[in-house]
Amino acid sequence: MSIDLLSVIYLITQTLNGLFSAALLFLIASGLTLAFGVMRIVNIAHGSFYMLGVYVAWTVVTRTQSLLLGAIAAILVVGAIGFAMQRFFLRRFAADPLAQMMMTMGFALVFRDAALMVWGGDPFTLAYPRLLRGSVEVAEVVFPRYRLFVIVVAALVGAGLWMVNERTLIGARLRATVDDPEMASATGINVPLLSGLVFAVGAGLAAFGGVMGGPILGGYPGMDFDLLPLAFVVVIVGGMGSLKGALVGAIAVGMIDNFGKVLVPELSYFTLFAPMVLMLAIKPTGLYGRA
Amino acid sequence: MSTLTVRDLHTYYGDSHVLQGVTLQAEQGTVTAVLGRNGVGKTTLCRSIAGLTPARAGQIALGATDITRLAPHRIHQARVGLVPQGRRMFTSLTVREHLAIAERSADLTRSVPPAAESGDAGPVAPWTVESVCALFPRLAERLQNRGNELSGGEQQMLAIARALVANPLLLIMDEPTEGLAPALVAQVGELVGRLKREGTTVLLVEQNATFAVALADRVHVMSKGAIVHSSDPKTLWENEEIKTQLLGVPGATAHGERR
Ligand SMILES: Nc1ncnc2c1ncn2[C@@H]1O[C@H](COP(=O)(O)OP(=O)(O)O)[C@@H](O)[C@H]1O
Ligand SMILES: [Mg+2]
């Protein structure tokens, strides 16, 4: 094989790896951006939802050997935690973003310690179906089947979210609430309830992202705060509150992070945060955000 | 019964005491106008009734239902409609979506007008997306356009239509003629007349005193967060002192459009 062909294969493989990161980032960041759009909440506990997702799934997967059941349990449990958190705590500080943010910070610390207490500190990975193991080989490119699966699943979730947001009545209500929460409430929309639901869906999506990454990235203490900056970069680059922004931001960050780590590992934080700083300087609202 | 009763309402923005004891009644099937210069608290009164800036003291009732402490969406469910000052379009929603999220017509009939006054007794068909489109054909042509792609006049039609499709018993209109072309002002006037005949209670807040006085059954004038004059429109219009001092309507010669 020629050097040229090798480098093309390498490029394709790395692009697919970047897309895998992007897929996970999209699942996680879409929840963060939706919650921000509706509630203007900067949720420091979003990384904790991602972490709790993997841990809850771990408990279920080790007992049932089913990644699907693990994912369902993670979405339901973490979604319920998110709903309760919004309903009983954050909602009381609706007019005070700083108090809300500090409260989510407090929750993040509580979740971190709780996870350590319940599940201990040993790292693990999730077992996954035999069907998804091994690799796909197309021409000379060999790529792990599971990573491909995650990319497809994230694309389906993205399409589903887009459909709900753009084509249904509940989606219209959601957008109305993002546009003008006060007028939305005067148009009969139960904004606090809708906010709770969106927060729950966002938490569930983050948990799902954690489960999807679980077989490869696994779970370990500290994963919550490892992820959080990435999720924020995605949302800031894409624009707070925009699903399209979360998608584009996730692809950008997934690619940059992946190629950055491969090409200039010593600068990996720089290659990640430089685009965000640039974006904040040029267009503070992000690619698709609104003022 | 859908008479609006507002009793000794006090509303604040933070520490600033804006409504300082507003009391008024808007009878079912009448038009009640609230006039007054800029900044006297008219919009705040609308916001308090709609629940957007809840009153700190006092009472608001629609018929026998106390709505003072209800959340805005509850007040909407109690069939209070708001046409807000400045239209407040949802920029990412199409015209059709504006109407779809607001529509509440399946189970509702509007009230029966008092048979003595008007000939056409019997229940009135509820407003639907179709009937507001028939009322404002311009909107029917723009159903797929987004809120921010509409002209000012179209936005005002949509703001009114959005309130109507919920079939309100009480319709609050906060300066609905602001910035409208004369033809459209006339159309809004006709609509208000029709709503009244059909039994809807209309609370009409206006800077355009000429417009409001022509439509209203009862007129209240606000100054500094309180109602300082209440009368029938004719009495008000003959009171030069109030007209010049509290409404800013220039002297006796003026009775055309103010702008
Ligand atoms: N959101 C707000 N925060 C603080 N003060 C406000 C707010 N909105 C209005 N005000 C003040 O309340 C007073 C009444 O305003 P408003 O009800 O809008 O009057 P109007 O509709 O009669 O012009 C004004 O002095 C205005 O500056
Ligand atoms: Mg006003």
Side-chain angles (χ1 to χ4, degrees):
Chain A
M1 263 195 290
S2 72
I3 302 289
D4 265 4
L5 185 58
L6 271 180
S7 59
V8 168
I9 292 170
Y10 180 77
L11 205 67
I12 293 174
T13 311
Q14 287 307 332
T15 303
L16 285 169
N17 278 335
L19 276 181
F20 170 71
S21 308
L24 293 181
L25 283 173
F26 172 72
L27 289 176
I28 294 153
S30 57
L32 188 62
T33 208
L34 281 176
F36 181 84
V38 176
M39 280 161 282
R40 310 275 134 177
I41 281 182
V42 175
N43 180 18
I44 306 292
H46 201 69
S48 317
F49 295 150
Y50 161 77
M51 174 191 70
L52 288 176
V54 193
Y55 277 103
V56 170
W58 188 36
T59 298
V60 174
V61 172
T62 46
R63 280 168 183 70
T64 64
Q65 301 308 313
S66 164
L67 189 65
L68 178 65
L69 286 182
I72 292 171
I75 291 170
L76 292 179
V77 170
V78 178
I81 291 174
F83 187 77
M85 193 172 140
Q86 199 280 338
R87 197 88 187 140
F88 301 122
F89 296 93
L90 301 178
R91 192 152 79 105
R92 296 169 190 275
F93 299 91
D96 188 347
L98 186 63
Q100 279 185 330
M101 195 174 93
M102 293 316 289
M103 183 164 265
T104 64
M105 178 80 197
F107 271 104
L109 297 174
V110 169
F111 290 145
R112 186 191 62 178
D113 286 357
L116 209 55
M117 254 162 55
V118 175
W119 287 285
D122 295 333
F124 62 91
T125 54
L126 294 180
Y128 60 108
R130 187 161 301 132
L131 203 70
L132 296 174
R133 292 181 202 169
S135 297
V136 187
E137 202 177 329
V138 178
E140 305 284 330
V141 181
V142 180
F143 195 70
R145 187 170 290 161
Y146 183 77
R147 289 184 183 235
L148 219 50
F149 168 75
V150 170
I151 294 171
V152 172
V153 167
L156 290 176
V157 169
L161 287 176
W162 183 87
M163 281 287 290
V164 170
N165 197 43
E166 296 296 322
R167 292 279 178 272
T168 67
L169 205 54
I170 185 112
R173 295 209 162 98
L174 191 65
R175 280 179 285 130
T177 305
V178 174
D179 285 344
D180 185 343
E182 195 175 80
M183 199 55 221
S185 68
T187 310
I189 296 170
N190 185 344
V191 173
L193 180 63
L194 188 66
S195 300
L197 290 176
V198 167
F199 202 75
V201 169
L205 279 168
F208 185 59
V211 178
M212 286 292 99
I216 291 171
L217 307 173
Y220 57 93
M223 63 184 293
D224 43 354
F225 285 101
D226 280 356
L227 173 92
L228 194 66
L230 286 175
F232 273 114
V233 175
V234 169
V235 170
I236 287 169
V237 169
M240 291 271 210
S242 160
L243 266 183
K244 201 201 274 177
L247 177 65
V248 176
I251 292 175
V253 171
M255 291 296 176
I256 290 171
D257 190 33
N258 201 66
F259 278 97
K261 272 184 186 145
V262 173
L263 300 175
V264 275
E266 63 278 13
L267 289 182
S268 67
Y269 266 91
F270 176 79
T271 51
L272 186 61
F273 286 96
M276 180 182 94
V277 172
L278 263 178
M279 180 55 80
L280 282 174
I282 298 166
K283 194 162 183 287
T285 53
L287 285 172
Y288 299 102
R290 57 183 102 202
Chain B
M1 266 295 285
S2 57
T3 293
L4 169 74
T5 314
V6 174
R7 205 172 301 126
D8 195 25
L9 210 61
H10 291 263
T11 303
Y12 295 71
Y13 293 111
D15 288 336
S16 134
H17 190 179
V18 175
L19 293 190
Q20 309 189 356
V22 172
T23 298
L24 66 77
Q25 186 148 333
E27 301 285 343
Q28 173 175 5
T30 67
V31 176
T32 303
V34 176
L35 307 175
R37 287 176 184 269
N38 242 327
V40 297
K42 304 184 298 298
T43 295
T44 307
L45 174 62
C46 299
R47 291 177 56 84
S48 288
I49 299 170
L52 301 178
T53 309
R56 216 173 276 182
Q59 259 196 345
I60 307 165
L62 185 63
T65 317
D66 185 340
I67 60 169
T68 321
R69 306 261 168 266
L70 296 184
H73 70 276
R74 288 283 184 186
I75 294 175
H76 186 264
Q77 271 167 26
R79 300 179 66 182
V80 175
L82 174 66
V83 179
Q85 185 165 21
R87 290 88 190 243
R88 304 282 288 265
M89 296 290 97
F90 301 119
T91 48
S92 68
L93 268 63
T94 63
V95 169
R96 186 190 291 285
E97 285 171 334
H98 273 87
L99 300 175
I101 62 167
E103 186 175 22
R104 283 186 76 225
S105 46
D107 52 335
L108 304 175
T109 49
R110 285 184 293 144
S111 47
V112 185
E117 279 187 35
S118 56
D120 48 358
V124 186
W127 291 105
T128 60
V129 174
E130 289 73 41
S131 63
V132 294
C133 283
L135 180 70
F136 297 120
R138 196 79 193 104
L139 287 184
E141 295 164 24
R142 305 287 251 142
L143 281 174
Q144 298 310 326
N145 287 89
R146 303 222 177 228
N148 54 355
E149 297 165 352
L150 305 179
S151 72
E154 289 165 346
Q155 289 189 3
Q156 189 61 282
M157 292 183 218
L158 181 53
I160 294 172
R162 174 175 63 186
L164 286 184
V165 288
N167 287 285
L169 299 173
L170 166 67
L171 182 64
I172 305 168
M173 304 176 97
D174 194 353
E175 305 209 17
T177 66
E178 198 178 18
L180 292 192
L184 205 49
V185 173
Q187 200 188 346
V188 172
E190 269 169 43
L191 174 66
V192 170
R194 168 175 168 190
L195 289 170
K196 164 184 152 169
R197 281 193 305 280
E198 292 175 349
T200 305
T201 309
V202 180
L203 187 69
L204 177 65
V205 167
E206 266 300 344
Q207 289 270 336
N208 184 346
T210 321
F211 174 81
V213 162
L215 285 167
D217 298 291
R218 187 94 189 141
V219 190
H220 302 276
V221 180
M222 282 182 77
S223 176
K224 294 184 192 146
I227 287 174
V228 291
H229 172 96
S230 300
S231 70
D232 60 285
K234 188 162 171 289
T235 313
L236 172 79
W237 214 236
E238 285 160 1
N239 189 330
E240 294 302 331
E241 197 185 324
I242 289 179
K243 267 165 70 180
T244 47
Q245 287 185 8
L246 298 173
L247 303 181
V249 178
T253 50
H255 50 96
E257 294 290 323
R258 282 195 308 125
R259 44 191 132 164

